[in-house]
Amino acid sequence: MSVARVTEIIASSPDSFEDATRKGMKRASKTLKNVRGGWVEGQKVICDPNGHIKEFRVILKVTFVLQD
């Protein structure tokens, strides 16, 4: 029997939500062992005073399996 855990992380990118998601999952895999997947819980943009998007942010739920 395996047991999984879910943790929440926030990742950002100046390019897109997709890029932020990829960077977040890649970074989570460096710290967490046995990452099995994840999902985007939320999205947010940061804008400059003129309304131009400076940064895309995602809130990720990352699932990883605990070792026995």
Side-chain angles (χ1 to χ4, degrees):
M1 175 180 95
S2 60
V3 176
R5 182 175 173 115
V6 176
T7 190
E8 181 177 276
I9 65 169
I10 299 171
S12 64
S13 167
D15 299 321
S16 67
F17 289 120
E18 182 178 347
D19 189 49
T21 302
R22 290 181 191 281
K23 287 180 179 180
M25 292 301 292
K26 185 175 181 179
R27 178 59 182 86
S29 294
K30 288 183 179 180
T31 304
L32 303 171
K33 295 183 181 196
N34 301 318
V35 170
R36 294 294 185 245
W39 67 94
V40 176
E41 180 78 8
Q43 298 176 323
K44 178 181 177 179
V45 293
I46 305 300
C47 297
D48 66 16
N50 296 321
H52 297 102
I53 296 174
K54 293 172 42 177
E55 188 174 68
F56 297 86
R57 292 184 183 170
V58 292
I59 301 167
L60 294 168
K61 300 285 189 167
V62 179
T63 304
F64 59 100
V65 176
L66 299 176
Q67 294 179 345
D68 291 334

